Amino acid sequence: QIIWISGPFKGNASDSTISKVSGILDALPVDEALLADKIYRGDSINFIHPVSGNNLSYDEKTYNFLVYSACQVIERVIY
């Protein structure tokens, strides 16, 4: 399901800039978050993203596995 379309943006526009400028965060309900990649790690409230670091706990590794698995499904749908 497509939930938001915005743009066009130039090729060098970063994803985090687009999320701020597009208006999607204003439309996002308080109890929902968007699946995202590591570029969004500065906004853990609005975006579900992988945990970064070298010494991750078992729970963090499991969390990352679930996030990456969901991202792979989405990438397969896009292509």
Side-chain angles (χ1 to χ4, degrees):
Q1 176 182 19
I2 297 172
I3 62 163
W4 194 265
I5 296 176
S6 180
F9 294 95
K10 294 185 178 193
N12 63 351
S14 72
D15 291 350
S16 58
T17 300
I18 292 171
S19 69
K20 292 174 186 166
V21 175
S22 70
I24 193 169
L25 297 179
D26 296 330
L28 189 66
V30 175
D31 59 345
E32 292 186 15
L34 302 169
L35 185 62
D37 53 21
K38 288 187 269 190
I39 191 79
Y40 295 95
R41 65 180 164 241
D43 186 353
S44 297
I45 295 171
N46 294 309
F47 297 101
I48 299 168
H49 55 81
V51 178
S52 298
N54 294 327
N55 298 319
L56 300 179
S57 69
Y58 177 79
D59 289 340
E60 290 170 327
K61 289 178 183 177
T62 302
Y63 175 82
N64 279 356
F65 175 80
L66 295 172
V67 171
Y68 285 128
S69 295
C71 289
Q72 287 177 358
V73 170
I74 293 167
E75 291 294 330
R76 288 184 187 122
V77 170
I78 292 171
Y79 296 107

